[in-house]
Amino acid sequence: SRAYLIARGQERIKMTVRDQDDPGDRDRINESWESHRQEFEIRGPEELAADSQHEWNVMFKLPENLQPSYQGRNASHVWEFQAGLDVKGNDPDSGWVSVQVR
């Protein structure tokens, strides 16, 4: 029924915290949340032949005030993109692909 592209920014925190009362006791913190998510429709309804290949070129613009990519000691901000098709049955997609955004 359509081809689409999803862009998302995700902030991630990974750290180990030591218990002040018992220095041998440690907690691992792994948290993440989306800072931005935007979906773009590439193509509307179309019939595609089975076992065929298709390619679409897409230009899109994200808002200028978004957090860029970074990698810190305990935190990072990553940008990921996923392209896919909405079809009857199993929806094929590219999986999430990470890119650097400045």
Side-chain angles (χ1 to χ4, degrees):
S1 62
R2 71 185 181 117
Y4 61 87
L5 175 72
I6 301 172
R8 77 175 177 189
Q10 199 172 56
E11 189 139 23
R12 298 176 180 166
I13 295 175
K14 278 187 175 182
M15 59 190 299
T16 301
V17 180
R18 291 188 180 131
D19 187 332
Q20 291 180 355
D21 298 329
D22 181 2
D25 189 16
R26 298 180 181 168
D27 289 324
R28 296 189 195 286
I29 298 172
N30 290 310
E31 297 287 335
S32 66
W33 56 92
E34 285 186 349
S35 60
H36 184 78
R37 183 181 190 94
Q38 195 168 352
E39 189 168 315
F40 304 92
E41 186 164 313
I42 297 171
R43 198 79 161 206
E46 185 175 350
E47 190 169 322
L48 305 174
D51 296 323
S52 61
Q53 293 184 8
H54 301 272
E55 183 176 314
W56 294 279
N57 293 312
V58 179
M59 291 189 66
F60 60 91
K61 188 169 183 171
L62 296 171
E64 292 182 21
N65 62 340
L66 297 177
Q67 175 73 43
S69 302
Y70 71 84
Q71 178 65 52
R73 182 175 176 191
N74 295 314
S76 63
H77 191 269
V78 296
W79 281 95
E80 299 174 315
F81 295 85
Q82 181 183 79
L85 299 173
D86 277 342
V87 296
K88 189 175 186 176
N90 187 18
D91 293 349
D93 65 56
S94 64
W96 290 105
V97 178
S98 297
V99 300
Q100 290 289 318
V101 175
R102 297 172 198 226

